[in-house]
Amino acid sequence: RRHRGSAGRGRAGPGGTEGARGRARRGRARGSAGPGPASERLPRASSKGFSSTFTGERRPKGDRIFEALGATDELSSAIGLAGEFSSEKGHAFVEQLHKVQCMLQDVGSNIATPLSSAREAHLKRTSFSEKPVLELEQWIDSYSEQLPPLRAFILPSGGKSSAALHFSRAVCRRAERCVVPLVQAGEADPNVAKYLNRLSDYLFVLARYAAMKEGKEEKIYVKPEP
């Protein structure tokens, strides 16, 4: 997630980065975003190392909120790549991956709206419920029932689709580690951390499922000889 612009020129949150004087609306921005939290890429401007949250609060770009937003953006990109590989193989779960990417936009909205500075109007637009978490658990159970028992430590492998999903899982765990401190500090909704936690499990199960459907061998850990 990119945050460009000097004070008052842009902020992260639903609807993207809002450009001053309607620059984005006039089409002068290099990219645009529809409804949702995706940021727009505005013309170059010195930000002096600061960016804004959706609540308008200015924070250093090294703030853990922007670290979490960046990790979530990377996660969506990794899932997008996994989805492309999986689509080439005709996997039906590609639609689920697309839905996950949309949910990650909502995750980003919640992260970009620190509760310490959020007003009621902000909270209404960026709340994150438990429903997506429960849906992930249903998906996990559905795929797990179709898989052989896990009897060894599996290495990321099993074909391009599976390996890309394993990579997405690893990025997801990092995103979760970035979000947990925000939740503990009361700045983000606990359901956001729960969603990322369950998402990493979903991606692991899905990686195994993709390998099985493609008939690819999953490589397992073998302890090297001393």
Side-chain angles (χ1 to χ4, degrees):
R1 192 172 300 273
R2 301 171 178 84
H3 303 281
R4 296 183 182 271
S6 59
R9 292 189 180 181
R11 64 174 182 246
T17 303
E18 300 174 2
R21 301 177 183 175
R23 286 178 297 181
R25 289 191 295 274
R26 293 197 300 269
R28 292 169 59 187
R30 287 178 288 178
S32 60
S39 359
E40 293 174 357
R41 295 171 59 187
L42 299 178
R44 293 178 185 174
S46 173
S47 62
K48 302 182 189 282
F50 285 80
S51 193
S52 298
T53 66
F54 177 52
T55 60
E57 182 182 2
R58 296 290 289 174
R59 295 195 180 197
K61 288 191 174 182
D63 189 275
R64 56 190 179 185
I65 283 181
F66 300 123
E67 183 69 24
L69 284 172
T72 304
D73 189 25
E74 289 180 48
L75 173 57
S76 182
S77 298
I79 290 175
L81 180 62
E84 290 301 313
F85 285 138
S86 301
S87 180
E88 291 176 359
K89 294 295 184 178
H91 289 298
F93 58 72
V94 170
E95 288 303 315
Q96 291 181 352
L97 293 179
H98 178 255
K99 187 172 185 178
V100 166
Q101 287 182 292
C102 292
M103 290 309 308
L104 288 175
Q105 293 292 98
D106 292 340
V107 165
S109 284
N110 190 271
I111 294 171
T113 311
L115 299 180
S116 61
S117 59
R119 297 188 298 273
E120 187 64 29
H122 295 132
L123 297 176
K124 285 182 178 179
R125 295 186 64 184
T126 62
S127 62
F128 196 88
S129 73
E130 189 182 18
K131 183 178 178 181
V133 180
L134 299 177
E135 183 175 49
L136 279 178
E137 291 179 346
Q138 293 175 351
W139 292 350
I140 291 170
D141 291 342
S142 175
Y143 291 117
S144 294
E145 292 171 357
Q146 304 176 58
L147 294 172
L150 190 60
R151 304 187 186 282
F153 188 91
I154 295 175
L155 303 176
S157 56
K160 291 182 180 179
S161 301
S162 179
L165 287 164
H166 276 297
F167 177 73
S168 299
R169 171 189 57 79
V171 177
C172 186
R173 295 302 298 271
R174 176 158 55 85
E176 180 189 2
R177 292 193 299 272
C178 290
V179 167
V180 166
L182 297 177
V183 173
Q184 293 174 337
E187 294 282 49
D189 194 303
N191 285 324
V192 168
K194 290 179 182 177
Y195 184 80
L196 292 173
N197 179 270
R198 303 313 292 146
L199 179 56
S200 63
D201 287 346
Y202 165 74
L203 293 169
F204 176 75
V205 170
L206 200 61
R208 294 197 64 211
Y209 178 81
M212 181 187 72
K213 295 295 286 186
E214 294 178 21
K216 301 287 188 178
E217 180 182 2
E218 293 179 295
K219 296 179 181 178
I220 63 172
Y221 167 75
V222 178
K223 188 174 179 62
E225 293 292 334

